[in-house]
Amino acid sequence: MSALLVPPSSSPARPSRNGDGDRNRDVVLGPITAQTYRAFLASPHGEALGAGFLQCPSWADVKEGWRAQLLGWGPDPEAGELTGVALVLLRQFPGTRKYFAYLPEGPVADWSDPDLDAWLTPLLEYLRRTGAFAVRIGPSPAHRRWSAARLKPLTGPGRRLGDVLASEVDPLGTAVAERLRARGWGRCGRATGTDGADGDGGGGTGGGGGDAQPRHVFQVPLAGRTTEDLWSGLNQEWRRNVRRARKEGVEVVVGSAADLPEFCRLLALTERRDGFRLGRSLAYYERQYAALNAEEPGRMKLYLARHQGEILAAHTMITVGRRTWYQTGASADHRREVRPSNALQWRMLLDAHAGGADVYDMRGVPSTLDPAERAYGLLRWKLGTGGQVVETLGEWERSVGGSANHALHRAFQAYLKRR
């Protein structure tokens, strides 16, 4: 289990008075229990904020090498009167007693609040008193979206997503980016988690210049759609492949923890075939499966595609509230013609829809639109579901203030680049 740090001072952090945040003037921030945290996420207000699985308390038990804190802010956090929460992962800078604070795809807060200082300022102050020298966050608003229909005819040599006019630009995302820059936050560098197979939080230590989470993700909207709508949203190749899998007798079932070794074996084959390396062990997935399902039974599922008694593909799925993610996919090198991965994804889409999810998130995709690039194949495969590419705001970072922390932050960035 991850250790929860106790701050050097038990007094809650309070926002500075700037005259613009009257509705938040009673907001304080402090440590909360996992039970209080989960109750907020399950409340109507908490569910509306759309927390991802990387901000669930259970994620603290997945990440080794990090210490964790559960924080909440609101009129009375200890009593459960909350307006936002955050899982903070802390990694110690070697040779010091200082920590780098990382909030993967967090905090869980109302980013439409024009007075970000009402909760960002006490967060920074609290982390400073805890011993953090810098912090990285992942704001939830989207920046831009591209529909599959817009992107399909616009591929070509050297082309990238940024070369194509977006189907939609989110004004909230633009406003949040401007507000963060004005407060000294810097956007991290090029996304690193774009292989789409994992990108599951804390792949690096933060501070190294690139996003730890995928900057571009692929999402299939589910709200207000029927299963017939989902089927018609698939392109012809996807529908043909799903039918082929059914005709060939591919069976899709939900596995258990006992099937994780086979999943990891297939994942190693996939990594070699597709040229990426996640660096995740069987112990990691066993820990993840146990932690997430202990928090809520069925939160993480392992789907298996069998053909003639052999498992040919295995994909993991995670659900929190009204959001569902396809997290990691693996498949064998042989009998690919029976299309086990298409069968798996179609079953997972249907299960997410039946479970009441508003969106099915297929996680990271590359930004290339060049069919000659190897990475484009992943985007092409996901485009076939008829969803959309979403560019997130990415990750943002800053020191918590003070010349010593600024210097340590720069040293930490240099240290990570040398690793």
Side-chain angles (χ1 to χ4, degrees):
M1 298 291 286
S2 300
L4 294 181
L5 291 179
V6 178
S9 171
S10 60
S11 60
R14 298 179 180 273
S16 58
R17 297 293 185 261
N18 58 14
D20 296 326
D22 288 344
R23 69 189 179 104
N24 288 318
R25 63 187 176 190
D26 294 327
V27 170
V28 296
L29 181 143
I32 58 175
T33 66
Q35 182 179 3
T36 299
Y37 194 114
R38 295 185 186 105
F40 173 74
L41 292 184
S43 70
H45 178 59
E47 187 176 80
L49 295 177
F53 63 92
L54 301 178
Q55 279 292 297
C56 287
S58 56
W59 201 252
D61 298 326
V62 177
K63 306 308 296 178
E64 288 189 324
W66 298 81
R67 302 180 75 181
Q69 287 190 331
L70 299 177
L71 303 179
W73 52 84
D76 190 349
E78 291 186 356
E81 296 180 27
L82 297 165
T83 56
V85 293
L87 166 64
V88 182
L89 300 176
L90 297 147
R91 173 155 285 183
Q92 192 169 7
F93 187 17
T96 76
R97 294 184 179 180
K98 290 284 192 172
Y99 295 88
F100 184 86
Y102 179 40
L103 287 69
E105 297 188 0
V108 183
D110 181 7
W111 289 95
S112 66
D113 184 353
D115 186 16
L116 295 185
D117 293 323
W119 49 271
L120 271 181
T121 299
L123 175 64
L124 290 171
E125 174 60 21
Y126 184 93
L127 293 175
R128 185 189 64 79
R129 290 192 286 109
T130 301
F133 62 88
V135 60
R136 175 181 283 204
I137 60 175
S140 60
H143 178 37
R144 294 183 291 181
R145 295 179 173 86
W146 294 265
S147 68
R150 180 178 291 261
L151 292 176
K152 286 177 184 177
L154 296 176
T155 61
R159 292 186 67 86
R160 307 193 72 80
L161 282 169
D163 299 325
V164 178
L165 185 66
S167 305
E168 179 185 344
V169 176
D170 193 321
L172 176 58
T174 302
V176 168
E178 291 174 351
R179 291 167 186 164
L180 289 174
R181 287 192 188 95
R183 288 157 175 80
W185 293 83
R187 189 169 180 174
C188 298
R190 180 175 61 85
T192 59
T194 56
D195 55 53
D198 204 27
D200 63 354
T205 57
D211 291 341
Q213 305 308 319
R215 176 75 57 84
H216 298 94
V217 298
F218 196 87
Q219 297 180 350
V220 181
L222 302 180
R225 302 178 71 189
T226 65
T227 55
E228 290 75 15
D229 294 332
L230 297 178
W231 178 254
S232 62
L234 303 180
N235 66 15
Q236 288 184 346
E237 181 181 6
W238 261 80
R239 291 197 296 269
R240 183 170 61 250
N241 289 342
V242 173
R243 291 192 185 104
R244 174 69 182 273
R246 187 180 302 136
K247 181 179 178 181
E248 294 288 345
V250 174
E251 178 191 17
V252 177
V253 298
V254 178
S256 68
D259 299 300
L260 287 172
E262 180 64 12
F263 163 73
C264 287
R265 186 188 71 82
L266 292 174
L267 184 58
L269 293 176
T270 304
E271 290 176 336
R272 288 195 293 269
R273 181 179 67 243
D274 294 345
F276 67 89
R277 176 63 177 151
L278 295 177
R280 307 296 189 208
S281 65
L282 172 60
Y284 174 88
Y285 286 107
E286 288 176 334
R287 191 166 61 250
Q288 183 186 102
Y289 190 90
L292 270 62
N293 288 322
E295 184 169 63
E296 182 175 315
R299 170 148 288 170
M300 180 177 177
K301 294 180 179 179
L302 175 63
Y303 284 77
L304 310 172
R306 292 197 185 108
H307 183 249
Q308 297 178 357
E310 181 182 3
I311 298 175
L312 294 182
H315 295 176
T316 60
M317 188 172 88
I318 299 175
T319 299
V320 178
R322 301 185 68 85
R323 297 176 65 189
T324 296
W325 293 262
Y326 156 45
Q327 187 202 16
T328 309
S331 61
D333 292 334
H334 62 289
R335 270 189 269 167
R336 298 172 65 80
E337 71 279 1
V338 302
R339 305 301 179 185
S341 292
N342 295 93
L344 277 176
Q345 284 300 308
W346 177 240
R347 166 69 183 275
M348 290 162 69
L349 262 172
L350 292 179
D351 284 2
H353 180 266
D358 289 334
V359 63
Y360 182 69
D361 192 321
M362 300 181 78
R363 295 296 280 169
V365 290
S367 60
T368 180
L369 296 177
D370 187 344
E373 292 190 30
R374 185 176 188 175
Y376 174 75
L378 177 68
L379 175 60
R380 179 182 179 276
W381 187 70
K382 293 183 180 182
L383 285 172
T385 62
Q388 59 185 359
V389 175
V390 178
E391 181 184 13
T392 71
L393 282 184
E395 297 185 324
W396 295 71
E397 195 173 292
R398 60 159 289 175
S399 74
V400 297
S403 58
N405 286 330
H406 280 295
L408 192 54
H409 186 207
R410 289 193 297 269
F412 187 65
Q413 291 175 314
Y415 160 76
L416 289 175
K417 288 178 181 178
R418 292 194 303 268
R419 285 177 46 176

